[in-house]
Amino acid sequence: MEREFIAERQKGLQAYLDVITTHHILSNCELVKKFLDPNSYSVNYTASKRKEHYPDVYDKLWRSLKDIGWRIRKKYFLMKIKNQPKERLMLSWADLGPDKYLSDKDLQYAVKLLSSCSHPYIYKITFATANESSALVIRPFSEKGTLKDLIYKAKPKDPFLKKYCNPKKIQGLELQQIKTYGRQILEVLKFLHEKGFPYGHLHSANVMLDGDTCKLLDLENSLLGLPSFYRSYFSQFRKINTLEGVDVHCFGHLLYEMTYGRPPDTIPVDSFPPAPSVFVVSVLESILTCEAMKNGMPTVSRLLQMPLFSDVLLTNSEKPQFKIPTKLKEALKTSKECIEKRLTEEQKLIHQHRRLTRAQSHHGSEEEKKKRKILARKKSKRSAYESGEEHSAKYSNSNNSAGSGASSPLTSPSSPTPPSTAGASSIPPAPPPLPPAAPPPSTEVPTQPSPQPDVSASRGALLSSIQNFQKGTLKKTQTCDYSAPRIS
């Protein structure tokens, strides 16, 4: 329990937590969140709750896929249907999130509508439903896995941390794969933006692979109000304030991961490692650099026109279909605006906190402390000098006044003498004549106020008068003393 040991251990634990919380995957881990905030993450999510709401679906469950995803409040189950034992399905269950702005009625309708969406680059939904607190979605299970599984050479059924947190081999995709997958993802983003359907959840684990085709997953996330995987990144930059901008920013992360086999170390990215093509770096620079964060994200249409994707030929001829009723479109538009407003408010708070942190860090730096010490010394010396001058002036004025008062009785002819203490005679004695003195400084009081004489000159004149006084110049006088009592 020595103080030095505790202080050293505290610094070491803080450094350990800093490493964990700055690691994007580890910081979203349930164990980390429970350790740092046990009150908010104390609930255990079991299948019993799901069974109460969806008994028909529960009877078809086969087994749980524990920790296959990164969300704490989203669970996955592998399913099979009795009359089709070879076909495997995946059930996902998620609670509603903080960005849920649709009414319960609109939410249920929108979630059910997802199963009618048909697009070559959107993964098919078999069944979807929602209630006032959560939603359930069933899709076909793919043994090939997601785009992230391909990049990290991982098995789809393994836990999220095991698959992606510390890969054994880091290797990006081939240039043609980067071009084709990137073009397909941009096409489906453009389709959703034109439909007015908010997404905001693009990352490599939300892109399913079907042969050589990429298909987008989890369209329901924005309807349920769930936070984005990259929210901790784009919430720091106030220019990324729309869901379209969020999608483009997330696409930059995905393109970086496809190119280099790993996510970027920091955002914004100052410099990029060698890439298979300069056109790849050109796209990354338009999204992930500091300049891009300040100027805003390019549009999806602008990215499709860039050389990396403009010459990619898409062979899929399936016609997209996703009919959204006008009333629901208005509700989705309002929900999208509310999501963007909350993002803007969060970005403002983060900006204010960063400014305050920088100010406190600057104020507490060693260099700033030295500057404040130097300024304090200068201020102390200045105040001491000013108080010394003020004291000197007061002392000189008091001396000047005292000197003038002492010389006045010697030169004034009307100065009275003190009365006699004998008290016997009623006749006051005549005052003795004053001896002539050396000419002192003039003590005549001017009728008009004059400026204050120089202190040093006045004192010098007084000292000179005293030093030049000669006693021999005084005349001898005879004094008649009438103060003695008279007896008649």
Side-chain angles (χ1 to χ4, degrees), residues 81-102:
I81 303 175
K82 292 180 180 180
N83 57 356
Q84 297 177 349
K86 292 184 179 181
E87 184 178 354
R88 294 184 180 182
L89 302 173
M90 177 179 283
L91 181 150
S92 63
W93 171 289
D95 289 342
L96 303 183
D99 278 326
K100 184 263 180 184
Y101 295 105
L102 291 173

PDB file of all heavy atoms in Angstrom, residues 81-102:
ATOM      1  N   ILE A  81     -35.474 -25.506 -41.049  1.00  0.00           N
ATOM      2  CA  ILE A  81     -36.907 -25.749 -41.144  1.00  0.00           C
ATOM      3  C   ILE A  81     -37.132 -27.257 -41.224  1.00  0.00           C
ATOM      4  O   ILE A  81     -36.376 -27.987 -41.873  1.00  0.00           O
ATOM      5  CB  ILE A  81     -37.488 -25.034 -42.377  1.00  0.00           C
ATOM      6  CG1 ILE A  81     -37.159 -23.536 -42.288  1.00  0.00           C
ATOM      7  CG2 ILE A  81     -38.998 -25.235 -42.467  1.00  0.00           C
ATOM      8  CD1 ILE A  81     -37.566 -22.750 -43.498  1.00  0.00           C
ATOM      9  N   LYS A  82     -38.195 -27.720 -40.561  1.00  0.00           N
ATOM     10  CA  LYS A  82     -38.434 -29.163 -40.440  1.00  0.00           C
ATOM     11  C   LYS A  82     -38.592 -29.853 -41.796  1.00  0.00           C
ATOM     12  O   LYS A  82     -38.042 -30.931 -42.027  1.00  0.00           O
ATOM     13  CB  LYS A  82     -39.674 -29.398 -39.580  1.00  0.00           C
ATOM     14  CG  LYS A  82     -39.478 -29.019 -38.120  1.00  0.00           C
ATOM     15  CD  LYS A  82     -40.741 -29.277 -37.322  1.00  0.00           C
ATOM     16  CE  LYS A  82     -40.533 -28.886 -35.867  1.00  0.00           C
ATOM     17  NZ  LYS A  82     -41.756 -29.128 -35.049  1.00  0.00           N
ATOM     18  N   ASN A  83     -39.364 -29.237 -42.675  1.00  0.00           N
ATOM     19  CA  ASN A  83     -39.590 -29.884 -43.967  1.00  0.00           C
ATOM     20  C   ASN A  83     -38.469 -29.629 -44.972  1.00  0.00           C
ATOM     21  O   ASN A  83     -38.501 -30.151 -46.083  1.00  0.00           O
ATOM     22  CB  ASN A  83     -40.931 -29.445 -44.556  1.00  0.00           C
ATOM     23  CG  ASN A  83     -41.021 -27.935 -44.711  1.00  0.00           C
ATOM     24  OD1 ASN A  83     -40.104 -27.226 -44.314  1.00  0.00           O
ATOM     25  ND2 ASN A  83     -42.116 -27.455 -45.266  1.00  0.00           N
ATOM     26  N   GLN A  84     -37.476 -28.764 -44.599  1.00  0.00           N
ATOM     27  CA  GLN A  84     -36.317 -28.511 -45.457  1.00  0.00           C
ATOM     28  C   GLN A  84     -35.053 -28.575 -44.589  1.00  0.00           C
ATOM     29  O   GLN A  84     -34.432 -27.552 -44.292  1.00  0.00           O
ATOM     30  CB  GLN A  84     -36.424 -27.145 -46.145  1.00  0.00           C
ATOM     31  CG  GLN A  84     -37.615 -27.047 -47.090  1.00  0.00           C
ATOM     32  CD  GLN A  84     -37.739 -25.662 -47.702  1.00  0.00           C
ATOM     33  OE1 GLN A  84     -37.072 -24.720 -47.285  1.00  0.00           O
ATOM     34  NE2 GLN A  84     -38.607 -25.538 -48.691  1.00  0.00           N
ATOM     35  N   PRO A  85     -34.647 -29.745 -44.154  1.00  0.00           N
ATOM     36  CA  PRO A  85     -33.538 -29.866 -43.189  1.00  0.00           C
ATOM     37  C   PRO A  85     -32.189 -29.421 -43.739  1.00  0.00           C
ATOM     38  O   PRO A  85     -31.298 -29.053 -42.968  1.00  0.00           O
ATOM     39  CB  PRO A  85     -33.526 -31.363 -42.861  1.00  0.00           C
ATOM     40  CG  PRO A  85     -34.201 -32.015 -44.029  1.00  0.00           C
ATOM     41  CD  PRO A  85     -35.213 -31.048 -44.541  1.00  0.00           C
ATOM     42  N   LYS A  86     -31.995 -29.422 -45.040  1.00  0.00           N
ATOM     43  CA  LYS A  86     -30.706 -29.027 -45.602  1.00  0.00           C
ATOM     44  C   LYS A  86     -30.539 -27.503 -45.706  1.00  0.00           C
ATOM     45  O   LYS A  86     -29.417 -27.015 -45.805  1.00  0.00           O
ATOM     46  CB  LYS A  86     -30.531 -29.655 -46.986  1.00  0.00           C
ATOM     47  CG  LYS A  86     -30.384 -31.172 -46.952  1.00  0.00           C
ATOM     48  CD  LYS A  86     -30.117 -31.725 -48.336  1.00  0.00           C
ATOM     49  CE  LYS A  86     -29.937 -33.231 -48.302  1.00  0.00           C
ATOM     50  NZ  LYS A  86     -29.653 -33.804 -49.647  1.00  0.00           N
ATOM     51  N   GLU A  87     -31.651 -26.803 -45.720  1.00  0.00           N
ATOM     52  CA  GLU A  87     -31.577 -25.338 -45.840  1.00  0.00           C
ATOM     53  C   GLU A  87     -31.359 -24.713 -44.469  1.00  0.00           C
ATOM     54  O   GLU A  87     -32.123 -24.958 -43.532  1.00  0.00           O
ATOM     55  CB  GLU A  87     -32.864 -24.802 -46.464  1.00  0.00           C
ATOM     56  CG  GLU A  87     -32.803 -23.304 -46.710  1.00  0.00           C
ATOM     57  CD  GLU A  87     -34.060 -22.782 -47.377  1.00  0.00           C
ATOM     58  OE1 GLU A  87     -34.928 -23.610 -47.742  1.00  0.00           O
ATOM     59  OE2 GLU A  87     -34.182 -21.560 -47.528  1.00  0.00           O
ATOM     60  N   ARG A  88     -30.335 -23.901 -44.375  1.00  0.00           N
ATOM     61  CA  ARG A  88     -30.014 -23.243 -43.108  1.00  0.00           C
ATOM     62  C   ARG A  88     -30.328 -21.749 -43.204  1.00  0.00           C
ATOM     63  O   ARG A  88     -30.028 -21.106 -44.208  1.00  0.00           O
ATOM     64  CB  ARG A  88     -28.546 -23.437 -42.747  1.00  0.00           C
ATOM     65  CG  ARG A  88     -28.194 -24.894 -42.459  1.00  0.00           C
ATOM     66  CD  ARG A  88     -26.765 -25.022 -42.012  1.00  0.00           C
ATOM     67  NE  ARG A  88     -26.412 -26.409 -41.733  1.00  0.00           N
ATOM     68  CZ  ARG A  88     -25.226 -26.785 -41.278  1.00  0.00           C
ATOM     69  NH1 ARG A  88     -24.278 -25.878 -41.053  1.00  0.00           N
ATOM     70  NH2 ARG A  88     -24.970 -28.055 -41.038  1.00  0.00           N
ATOM     71  N   LEU A  89     -30.885 -21.248 -42.125  1.00  0.00           N
ATOM     72  CA  LEU A  89     -31.239 -19.835 -42.033  1.00  0.00           C
ATOM     73  C   LEU A  89     -30.558 -19.224 -40.812  1.00  0.00           C
ATOM     74  O   LEU A  89     -30.195 -19.922 -39.868  1.00  0.00           O
ATOM     75  CB  LEU A  89     -32.756 -19.668 -41.909  1.00  0.00           C
ATOM     76  CG  LEU A  89     -33.615 -20.269 -43.032  1.00  0.00           C
ATOM     77  CD1 LEU A  89     -35.081 -20.160 -42.681  1.00  0.00           C
ATOM     78  CD2 LEU A  89     -33.314 -19.595 -44.356  1.00  0.00           C
ATOM     79  N   MET A  90     -30.414 -17.919 -40.866  1.00  0.00           N
ATOM     80  CA  MET A  90     -29.848 -17.203 -39.715  1.00  0.00           C
ATOM     81  C   MET A  90     -30.879 -16.215 -39.191  1.00  0.00           C
ATOM     82  O   MET A  90     -31.396 -15.385 -39.937  1.00  0.00           O
ATOM     83  CB  MET A  90     -28.566 -16.458 -40.084  1.00  0.00           C
ATOM     84  CG  MET A  90     -28.003 -15.645 -38.917  1.00  0.00           C
ATOM     85  SD  MET A  90     -26.483 -14.801 -39.324  1.00  0.00           S
ATOM     86  CE  MET A  90     -25.337 -16.157 -39.249  1.00  0.00           C
ATOM     87  N   LEU A  91     -31.146 -16.325 -37.903  1.00  0.00           N
ATOM     88  CA  LEU A  91     -32.057 -15.400 -37.233  1.00  0.00           C
ATOM     89  C   LEU A  91     -31.246 -14.383 -36.438  1.00  0.00           C
ATOM     90  O   LEU A  91     -30.339 -14.762 -35.685  1.00  0.00           O
ATOM     91  CB  LEU A  91     -32.988 -16.170 -36.305  1.00  0.00           C
ATOM     92  CG  LEU A  91     -34.033 -15.374 -35.525  1.00  0.00           C
ATOM     93  CD1 LEU A  91     -35.272 -16.237 -35.288  1.00  0.00           C
ATOM     94  CD2 LEU A  91     -33.491 -14.885 -34.169  1.00  0.00           C
ATOM     95  N   SER A  92     -31.568 -13.130 -36.602  1.00  0.00           N
ATOM     96  CA  SER A  92     -30.927 -12.069 -35.807  1.00  0.00           C
ATOM     97  C   SER A  92     -32.005 -11.333 -35.025  1.00  0.00           C
ATOM     98  O   SER A  92     -33.087 -11.047 -35.543  1.00  0.00           O
ATOM     99  CB  SER A  92     -30.162 -11.100 -36.712  1.00  0.00           C
ATOM    100  OG  SER A  92     -31.035 -10.435 -37.604  1.00  0.00           O
ATOM    101  N   TRP A  93     -31.667 -11.048 -33.782  1.00  0.00           N
ATOM    102  CA  TRP A  93     -32.588 -10.359 -32.871  1.00  0.00           C
ATOM    103  C   TRP A  93     -31.856  -9.145 -32.307  1.00  0.00           C
ATOM    104  O   TRP A  93     -30.724  -9.234 -31.841  1.00  0.00           O
ATOM    105  CB  TRP A  93     -32.994 -11.304 -31.739  1.00  0.00           C
ATOM    106  CG  TRP A  93     -33.755 -10.648 -30.631  1.00  0.00           C
ATOM    107  CD1 TRP A  93     -33.286  -9.770 -29.703  1.00  0.00           C
ATOM    108  CD2 TRP A  93     -35.130 -10.822 -30.347  1.00  0.00           C
ATOM    109  NE1 TRP A  93     -34.268  -9.381 -28.854  1.00  0.00           N
ATOM    110  CE2 TRP A  93     -35.432 -10.019 -29.222  1.00  0.00           C
ATOM    111  CE3 TRP A  93     -36.149 -11.586 -30.922  1.00  0.00           C
ATOM    112  CZ2 TRP A  93     -36.704  -9.949 -28.664  1.00  0.00           C
ATOM    113  CZ3 TRP A  93     -37.408 -11.519 -30.357  1.00  0.00           C
ATOM    114  CH2 TRP A  93     -37.674 -10.709 -29.240  1.00  0.00           C
ATOM    115  N   ALA A  94     -32.551  -7.980 -32.339  1.00  0.00           N
ATOM    116  CA  ALA A  94     -31.921  -6.761 -31.836  1.00  0.00           C
ATOM    117  C   ALA A  94     -32.942  -5.883 -31.127  1.00  0.00           C
ATOM    118  O   ALA A  94     -34.094  -5.760 -31.579  1.00  0.00           O
ATOM    119  CB  ALA A  94     -31.274  -5.985 -32.980  1.00  0.00           C
ATOM    120  N   ASP A  95     -32.530  -5.295 -30.018  1.00  0.00           N
ATOM    121  CA  ASP A  95     -33.355  -4.293 -29.345  1.00  0.00           C
ATOM    122  C   ASP A  95     -33.290  -2.980 -30.109  1.00  0.00           C
ATOM    123  O   ASP A  95     -32.350  -2.727 -30.864  1.00  0.00           O
ATOM    124  CB  ASP A  95     -32.853  -4.072 -27.913  1.00  0.00           C
ATOM    125  CG  ASP A  95     -33.163  -5.260 -27.021  1.00  0.00           C
ATOM    126  OD1 ASP A  95     -34.024  -6.064 -27.395  1.00  0.00           O
ATOM    127  OD2 ASP A  95     -32.522  -5.375 -25.954  1.00  0.00           O
ATOM    128  N   LEU A  96     -34.281  -2.126 -29.895  1.00  0.00           N
ATOM    129  CA  LEU A  96     -34.304  -0.817 -30.558  1.00  0.00           C
ATOM    130  C   LEU A  96     -33.209   0.075 -29.985  1.00  0.00           C
ATOM    131  O   LEU A  96     -32.840  -0.029 -28.813  1.00  0.00           O
ATOM    132  CB  LEU A  96     -35.673  -0.165 -30.378  1.00  0.00           C
ATOM    133  CG  LEU A  96     -36.877  -0.971 -30.882  1.00  0.00           C
ATOM    134  CD1 LEU A  96     -38.158  -0.175 -30.696  1.00  0.00           C
ATOM    135  CD2 LEU A  96     -36.701  -1.371 -32.339  1.00  0.00           C
ATOM    136  N   GLY A  97     -32.684   0.961 -30.839  1.00  0.00           N
ATOM    137  CA  GLY A  97     -31.575   1.823 -30.442  1.00  0.00           C
ATOM    138  C   GLY A  97     -31.985   3.272 -30.210  1.00  0.00           C
ATOM    139  O   GLY A  97     -33.167   3.633 -30.310  1.00  0.00           O
ATOM    140  N   PRO A  98     -31.018   4.137 -29.902  1.00  0.00           N
ATOM    141  CA  PRO A  98     -31.312   5.538 -29.565  1.00  0.00           C
ATOM    142  C   PRO A  98     -31.784   6.380 -30.741  1.00  0.00           C
ATOM    143  O   PRO A  98     -32.332   7.461 -30.534  1.00  0.00           O
ATOM    144  CB  PRO A  98     -29.963   6.051 -29.037  1.00  0.00           C
ATOM    145  CG  PRO A  98     -28.942   5.170 -29.680  1.00  0.00           C
ATOM    146  CD  PRO A  98     -29.583   3.829 -29.799  1.00  0.00           C
ATOM    147  N   ASP A  99     -31.584   5.934 -31.983  1.00  0.00           N
ATOM    148  CA  ASP A  99     -31.998   6.697 -33.152  1.00  0.00           C
ATOM    149  C   ASP A  99     -33.306   6.169 -33.754  1.00  0.00           C
ATOM    150  O   ASP A  99     -33.583   6.384 -34.932  1.00  0.00           O
ATOM    151  CB  ASP A  99     -30.898   6.663 -34.222  1.00  0.00           C
ATOM    152  CG  ASP A  99     -29.816   7.688 -33.941  1.00  0.00           C
ATOM    153  OD1 ASP A  99     -30.152   8.772 -33.414  1.00  0.00           O
ATOM    154  OD2 ASP A  99     -28.645   7.410 -34.226  1.00  0.00           O
ATOM    155  N   LYS A 100     -34.135   5.519 -32.945  1.00  0.00           N
ATOM    156  CA  LYS A 100     -35.425   5.038 -33.424  1.00  0.00           C
ATOM    157  C   LYS A 100     -36.433   6.191 -33.330  1.00  0.00           C
ATOM    158  O   LYS A 100     -36.845   6.593 -32.239  1.00  0.00           O
ATOM    159  CB  LYS A 100     -35.867   3.837 -32.590  1.00  0.00           C
ATOM    160  CG  LYS A 100     -37.159   3.175 -33.057  1.00  0.00           C
ATOM    161  CD  LYS A 100     -38.348   3.659 -32.263  1.00  0.00           C
ATOM    162  CE  LYS A 100     -39.639   3.010 -32.712  1.00  0.00           C
ATOM    163  NZ  LYS A 100     -40.822   3.567 -31.989  1.00  0.00           N
ATOM    164  N   TYR A 101     -36.815   6.737 -34.479  1.00  0.00           N
ATOM    165  CA  TYR A 101     -37.734   7.876 -34.528  1.00  0.00           C
ATOM    166  C   TYR A 101     -39.038   7.554 -35.249  1.00  0.00           C
ATOM    167  O   TYR A 101     -39.940   8.388 -35.271  1.00  0.00           O
ATOM    168  CB  TYR A 101     -37.057   9.073 -35.194  1.00  0.00           C
ATOM    169  CG  TYR A 101     -35.890   9.609 -34.388  1.00  0.00           C
ATOM    170  CD1 TYR A 101     -34.572   9.362 -34.774  1.00  0.00           C
ATOM    171  CD2 TYR A 101     -36.099  10.351 -33.234  1.00  0.00           C
ATOM    172  CE1 TYR A 101     -33.498   9.837 -34.042  1.00  0.00           C
ATOM    173  CE2 TYR A 101     -35.026  10.827 -32.489  1.00  0.00           C
ATOM    174  CZ  TYR A 101     -33.733  10.576 -32.900  1.00  0.00           C
ATOM    175  OH  TYR A 101     -32.686  11.046 -32.155  1.00  0.00           O
ATOM    176  N   LEU A 102     -39.153   6.384 -35.854  1.00  0.00           N
ATOM    177  CA  LEU A 102     -40.410   5.978 -36.468  1.00  0.00           C
ATOM    178  C   LEU A 102     -41.415   5.587 -35.388  1.00  0.00           C
ATOM    179  O   LEU A 102     -41.037   5.077 -34.330  1.00  0.00           O
ATOM    180  CB  LEU A 102     -40.184   4.785 -37.402  1.00  0.00           C
ATOM    181  CG  LEU A 102     -39.391   5.035 -38.693  1.00  0.00           C
ATOM    182  CD1 LEU A 102     -39.126   3.709 -39.403  1.00  0.00           C
ATOM    183  CD2 LEU A 102     -40.130   5.985 -39.626  1.00  0.00           C
TER     184      LEU A 102
END
